[in-house]
Amino acid sequence: MFTFLQKYSWEQVLFFLIAILGILLFSFNILEVPLTIDELNAIERSNFNSLSDLFNDSISTDSHPPLIQIFLYYWLKIVGYNIFLIKLPFLMMGISSIFILYKLAKEWFNKNVALLTASFFVSIQFTIMYAQIARPYIAGVFLSLLLAYHWTKLIQGNSKLKNYFWYVFFGLMLAHTHYFGTLQTATIGALGLFFIPKNKFKSYFIANSILLLLFIPYLPYLQLQLNIEGMSYLSTPDIFYLFNYVFYLFQYSYLAVLLVLGIISFSIFAIKKIPYTQFSLIAFILFATPLTIGYLFSVLVRPVMPYRALIFSFPFLLLLLFSFCSPLKKRFVLLFCSLILSVNIYTLLQNRNHYQIFHKGIVSAAVNETKSILEKGTNPFIIFNTPEFNVQFYQKELHTNFTYWNIYASDLTPIAFRKKIQTLDYQSIAAFNLSDNYISIIREFFPLQKIVDNGFTYSYSLFSKDTKIASKGLIYSKTQNFEDDETSKQLLVESNNNTFYHFNEGQEWGPSLTIPIGEIVPNNFTIIESSISLLSDHPMMKGLLVVEINDNKKSIAWRSSDTKKWIDNSAQWQTIHYSIQLNEILKPYQLTKNSVLKVYFWNQNKTRVSIDNISIKVFKGNAKVYSLLENFPNENTY
């Protein structure tokens, strides 16, 4: 049946199988893959009548170079809003990268390194995911590998004009794809000065000068974009950043890490020396330089380095790691490629649950879920917290139309949100991607949480006014209502059959509610909902609802909610909440069995104020909230 393969070498047959598997993994279910928020934002920013408008109103206010935005501007005019066709060029660049990386690995080292590198490249979430996203990242990998390949021809002394042309062309394209691509281009160009043959130095210098001159027209936009605070959501990287990044590349699988380390160790042991060439050093420099510069900039200036920004240099880490396997014999290469593919694909499907999580789009899932609710006859009040363009895009895509309240970028205060919710004449509310504080307000009036659905940066809940059934996801609840309280009894007040605690003038601190949080929560993806009721007629009343986590008497987290955002001037009982998923406040700490959570009111202005119903509730949270980027627990741990 496969007799035609007999004319090919074992290496060619093995790579053919690896490439076919890679194509299947990269393109799996591509017709159904939704657009990410990042893609939808890019599509919206491409909706201009002219290229000059695109530059003036979109590119100049973005934090990326213009190449991909310009490409989308023209590509969308050809294919419209067909999701598959929008993604297709990026998928093709991802698939092409498999072949270019294989060819580059053979050029630098040998077929063993090429096969092992290709096996790892095609089977990890990092490449598979970005091959299906119409953004600069897989395009940057494609261009970075092409640039490195033609640069290799130059430093090997092949001075054909076409090699110089392609070096300048791909360098310019990569520099305009992403600023870490610009950094990668600069690194490759500078590195060549040390490896180019002396008799080719002048030609190489001229080629780099042309490349620099061609980039100069973009410098005014570069200056504008460097001042854009587009990544304020990123945290400053710590000393463990490199280890966390590499662990991410290995899909958070200890087995995958041990397998690769074992392959390298076996290879070195087999020949009793460390294989080393100049390309080993080159691979290390091309991987380490953008990482080092990005790290220093992120620490000293501002954070600019999410994992995806390092995708342009990560293939060189694979080349470096597997360069130590150059002398392996055929049977071991076959075995190790099979093991790499098996372990990585198992991890991708089982541990990372990639296709189920990634293919559940944030906006598409929200609109689809709403459509399903309405078709079942439920008529809830619908609240979205998503850019308007994105919701309308998927309403058209899914052929549905419904009214909703979109609070995205509205800067809505809890006071205003509560006033809206308490006047609704509905029996249920469907809420998509709302903050935990807004969810707490909804629970005041719609206490039953009937449906909970979570995903990558996606959350959906359906609430009802029914009070006869326990809400989904509630793990623990404790309330101090002072009815049977024995502490500070002289400060307790009884009115209308209700007992509460009263702060006198000049009093700053009062009672607190404490729970052994380390013994209660199953993981850091649980939601802590704290609340307190306040009554004050003092015009200068100012205070904070404080949530504090201590471990062995050391404070590891301290957060608060300000009364001015929650309390209006009416002299009646009103509620303040502070609700958040634990992983958002605990980094870099972890809870232990000794961890305790304390909630109390800080009466900052020391005015008259009464408090009641100090409450702590623990709910099951969204363990998948950052599941495409971080490790996450098995849901059975709840």
Side-chain angles (χ1 to χ4, degrees), residues 525-543:
F525 293 93
T526 48
I527 295 171
I528 303 300
E529 179 183 282
S530 57
S531 59
I532 190 170
S533 298
L534 291 180
L535 175 66
S536 176
D537 59 358
H538 199 292
M540 298 300 292
M541 193 277 289
K542 178 182 178 183

Side-chain angles (χ1 to χ4, degrees), residues 249 295 461 534:
L249 294 179
Y295 180 86
S461 295
L534 291 180

Side-chain angles (χ1 to χ4, degrees), residues 170-452:
F170 290 123
L172 189 64
M173 293 298 100
L174 179 59
H176 283 85
T177 298
H178 191 282
Y179 284 123
F180 272 84
T182 311
L183 183 56
Q184 191 73 12
T185 301
T187 303
I188 291 174
L191 190 59
L193 298 174
F194 299 94
F195 289 95
I196 197 78
K198 289 184 179 179
N199 62 333
K200 309 295 182 184
F201 188 89
K202 182 178 179 181
S203 300
Y204 184 75
F205 182 81
I206 292 172
N208 280 287
S209 299
I210 293 172
L211 178 54
L212 181 60
L213 286 171
L214 291 173
F215 188 76
I216 284 177
Y218 189 70
L219 290 180
Y221 289 96
L222 171 64
Q223 186 177 10
L224 280 174
Q225 291 178 327
L226 286 178
N227 292 322
I228 295 174
E229 296 288 342
M231 291 192 172
S232 57
Y233 61 91
L234 292 177
S235 57
T236 303
D238 57 25
I239 59 174
F240 300 107
Y241 181 89
L242 173 61
F243 299 100
N244 293 333
Y245 168 58
V246 173
F247 201 27
Y248 165 69
L249 294 179
F250 281 82
Q251 303 181 118
Y252 298 101
S253 169
Y254 289 103
L255 181 58
V257 173
L258 291 173
L259 174 61
V260 172
L261 290 178
I263 293 171
I264 294 171
S265 301
F266 177 87
S267 304
I268 294 173
F269 178 79
I271 61 167
K272 296 181 173 55
K273 69 175 183 179
I274 299 177
Y276 174 82
T277 70
Q278 69 172 5
F279 287 110
S280 303
L281 176 62
I282 288 171
F284 172 76
I285 293 172
L286 293 183
F287 166 71
T289 301
L291 176 64
T292 303
I293 294 175
Y295 180 86
L296 292 174
F297 188 92
S298 295
V299 171
L300 300 175
V301 183
R302 65 175 182 270
V304 294
M305 195 168 61
Y307 291 158
R308 63 181 180 269
L310 298 172
I311 196 170
F312 316 110
S313 59
F314 109 93
F316 301 104
L317 172 64
L318 301 185
L319 290 169
L320 173 64
L321 292 176
F322 292 114
S323 68
F324 298 112
C325 306
S326 297
L328 284 176
K329 294 181 179 180
K330 170 184 171 181
R331 64 178 181 272
F332 292 118
V333 174
L334 289 168
L335 173 63
F336 292 149
C337 285
S338 300
L339 287 173
I340 288 171
L341 290 168
S342 299
V343 169
N344 281 352
I345 292 173
Y346 175 83
T347 303
L348 178 79
L349 299 178
Q350 292 298 120
N351 297 1
R352 299 301 291 162
N353 200 14
H354 170 73
Y355 292 107
Q356 289 84 352
I357 293 174
F358 178 63
H359 289 181
K360 183 178 183 177
I362 302 168
V363 187
S364 61
V367 175
N368 220 358
E369 189 67 50
T370 306
K371 182 180 178 182
S372 176
I373 294 169
L374 296 173
E375 288 174 350
K376 291 176 182 177
T378 305
N379 185 31
F381 183 75
I382 302 164
I383 309 176
F384 276 90
N385 182 25
T386 303
E388 188 67 20
F389 173 85
N390 302 356
V391 182
Q392 292 179 358
F393 181 97
Y394 267 104
Q395 280 196 321
K396 293 178 183 177
E397 176 70 20
L398 297 171
H399 307 292
T400 185
N401 187 29
F402 50 81
T403 58
Y404 55 92
W405 183 33
N406 195 347
I407 64 172
Y408 182 78
S410 63
D411 198 24
L412 199 66
T413 65
I415 295 173
F417 186 81
R418 177 183 279 131
K419 286 181 178 179
K420 175 75 173 181
I421 298 301
Q422 67 185 1
T423 59
L424 292 177
D425 187 21
Y426 284 79
Q427 292 302 308
S428 58
I429 287 182
F432 295 92
N433 280 30
L434 266 62
S435 73
D436 293 316
N437 280 330
Y438 286 158
I439 293 295
S440 297
I441 293 173
I442 290 175
R443 283 199 183 101
E444 292 179 25
F445 307 97
F446 297 80
L448 174 61
Q449 194 166 4
K450 297 176 66 176
I451 299 175
V452 180

Side-chain angles (χ1 to χ4, degrees), residues 89-122:
F90 299 86
L91 174 64
M92 298 309 298
M93 284 187 280
I95 291 171
S96 299
S97 298
I98 301 170
F99 296 86
I100 303 166
L101 178 60
Y102 174 76
K103 195 171 183 180
L104 180 65
K106 282 188 69 175
E107 190 77 36
W108 281 16
F109 303 105
N110 61 21
K111 61 179 179 290
N112 294 345
V113 178
L115 291 167
L116 291 166
T117 301
S119 297
F120 200 94
F121 183 85
V122 304

Side-chain angles (χ1 to χ4, degrees), residues 72 129 171 417 454 499 589:
L72 284 175
M129 178 171 65
F417 186 81
N454 292 317
T499 304
Y589 297 101

Side-chain angles (χ1 to χ4, degrees), residues 543-583:
L544 301 175
L545 170 63
V546 177
V547 177
E548 184 177 359
I549 300 177
N550 296 307
D551 192 83
N552 290 321
K553 300 183 179 180
K554 175 187 176 183
S555 178
I556 60 174
W558 193 100
R559 296 292 188 276
S560 65
S561 192
D562 196 333
T563 53
K564 68 180 180 182
K565 295 180 179 179
W566 291 86
I567 304 299
D568 58 25
N569 294 325
S570 59
Q572 59 184 351
W573 285 104
Q574 299 178 73
T575 304
I576 301 177
H577 297 287
Y578 183 82
S579 302
I580 197 165
Q581 192 159 285
L582 275 174
N583 64 305

